[in-house]
Amino acid sequence: MIDLSALPSLRESLETHGLLANKGLGQHFLLDLNITRKIARLAGPLEGRMVLEIGPGPGGLTRALLEAGARVVAIEKDARFLPLLNTLQEASGGRLEVHLADALKVDEAVLSAGEPASVVSNLPYNVGTALLIKWLTGPWRPQSMTLMFQKEVAERIVARPGDDAFGRLALIAQVMCEARIVMDAPARAFTPPPKVDSAVVRLDPRSDPPEPSRVAAMEAVSQAAFGQRRKMLRSSLKALGGADLCEAAGIDPTRRAETLSLDEFLRLADARLQRAN
Ligand code: SAM
């Protein structure tokens, strides 16, 4: 195991470099290595694996990922952290690469040099959902994702049909992946503490995800259905075929979006594709 104990503590490193959190970049740091080690365990096994870490910041989670044996490609938007991350890079025995970039714009396939890689991150809250959608629907697919979100967002990702939080995010996440909350993190675990609690979600891609055309049709249906979630499907889906579309999919048109299962949404997507052909 790599020994990073000679490095100054995260708190000391932040002080030495005069670094204060920038809230505009969603900066809430995990400075307790017991917490970051737990996240690395939940993301594991990591020995010899490639991990993309978004927003390493001062590098608390990065240290834990390196200790667990991962090769880490870190993408950080805030240049102020580079000197601190360079020190970690020197101690990493060649297992840490740092890129100064916006994670929304990077090409993960290029950064991972075509190798399979997992994503592990204490995500910046302001772009967390957009990044998740990118990895769920984009051309590059991670091997697994272990991601810290605001608790409310985590609950929207794992919500089941019938739950109040069940909506478009749960649908796309669960059609593409198995998704579960694996850890709760109270606001006091972060420096500075955010206003709300957080949770870590682990997402493991399904071995037989639907074709991109079915996913796109499902997204169109769910956008319309959840756009007017209190209405019956025959009216919320009117522009896409309303009651006829529901009947073609074998679904009662008087039902509402939040009661439909993942499979029923895919049946509506298939009916929509058939009508379009
Ligand atoms: N990983 C560190 C930790 O756990 O202590 C920091 C997590 S902090 C919640 C989010 C990090 O993401 C910050 O370092 C922030 O600068 C960075 N960040 C924000 N927006 C980003 C973006 N679009 N691309 C890459 N990094 C970003």
Side-chain angles (χ1 to χ4, degrees):
M1 191 170 98
I2 187 167
D3 182 15
L4 300 172
S5 59
L7 291 175
S9 74
L10 293 162
R11 220 170 271 281
E12 280 166 353
S13 302
L14 285 171
E15 272 168 25
T16 310
H17 293 272
L19 289 170
L20 293 176
N22 173 343
K23 286 201 181 153
L25 285 174
Q27 291 177 351
H28 298 282
F29 307 127
L30 288 170
L31 303 182
D32 180 345
L33 288 177
N34 292 317
I35 297 180
T36 59
R37 284 179 183 136
K38 182 168 178 195
I39 298 172
R41 275 199 301 280
L42 291 166
L46 295 177
E47 184 70 48
R49 305 270 176 103
M50 184 178 285
V51 168
L52 254 52
E53 187 198 353
I54 310 307
L61 183 54
T62 323
R63 289 188 190 197
L65 295 169
L66 291 168
E67 278 179 355
R71 290 173 296 139
V72 181
V73 175
I75 302 144
E76 174 56 63
K77 193 175 173 183
D78 187 345
R80 297 179 307 150
F81 291 107
L82 290 185
L84 218 147
L85 292 167
N86 284 342
T87 311
L88 189 53
Q89 192 166 29
E90 280 156 21
S92 75
R95 286 195 286 115
L96 173 61
E97 217 180 87
V98 180
H99 295 268
L100 181 63
D102 181 340
L104 285 168
K105 296 184 184 151
V106 297
D107 182 340
E108 293 85 350
V110 171
L111 292 182
S112 58
E115 263 193 68
S118 294
V119 181
V120 185
S121 174
N122 172 17
L123 285 171
Y125 291 151
N126 41 352
V127 289
T129 313
L131 285 167
L132 175 61
I133 300 285
K134 181 185 181 200
W135 299 320
L136 288 170
T137 60
W140 182 79
R141 298 282 162 83
Q143 271 195 315
S144 70
M145 295 177 258
T146 308
L147 307 171
M148 179 84 80
F149 290 97
Q150 283 171 280
K151 184 108 191 254
E152 174 266 332
V153 177
E155 283 168 350
R156 283 201 285 121
I157 295 169
V158 304
R160 304 297 304 165
D163 294 348
D164 284 346
F166 184 63
R168 290 180 68 196
L169 190 58
L171 182 63
I172 186 69
Q174 295 175 41
V175 159
M176 304 307 288
C177 296
E178 295 270 356
R180 63 207 159 93
I181 290 181
V182 290
M183 178 181 155
D184 286 316
R188 65 173 183 280
F190 301 85
T191 305
K195 288 201 178 73
V196 293
D197 291 339
S198 294
V200 176
V201 181
R202 166 113 188 195
L203 297 115
D204 290 281
R206 296 190 183 283
S207 52
D208 56 347
E211 294 289 307
S213 59
R214 285 183 91 198
V215 174
M218 187 195 76
E219 286 271 88
V221 168
S222 70
Q223 184 176 10
F226 285 114
Q228 302 184 69
R229 60 189 293 145
R230 299 283 162 238
K231 289 201 174 162
M232 292 178 192
L233 294 169
R234 69 177 175 215
S235 59
S236 61
L237 296 182
K238 201 165 196 164
L240 301 177
D244 289 348
L245 182 79
C246 294
E247 271 150 30
I251 289 164
D252 177 352
T254 65
R255 288 174 62 189
R256 292 177 175 78
E258 67 223 28
T259 71
L260 295 184
S261 66
L262 308 186
D263 185 55
E264 286 173 323
F265 269 107
L266 283 171
R267 276 173 23 211
L268 282 168
D270 292 338
R272 168 94 187 117
L273 285 172
Q274 264 171 4
R275 285 171 74 92
N277 285 335

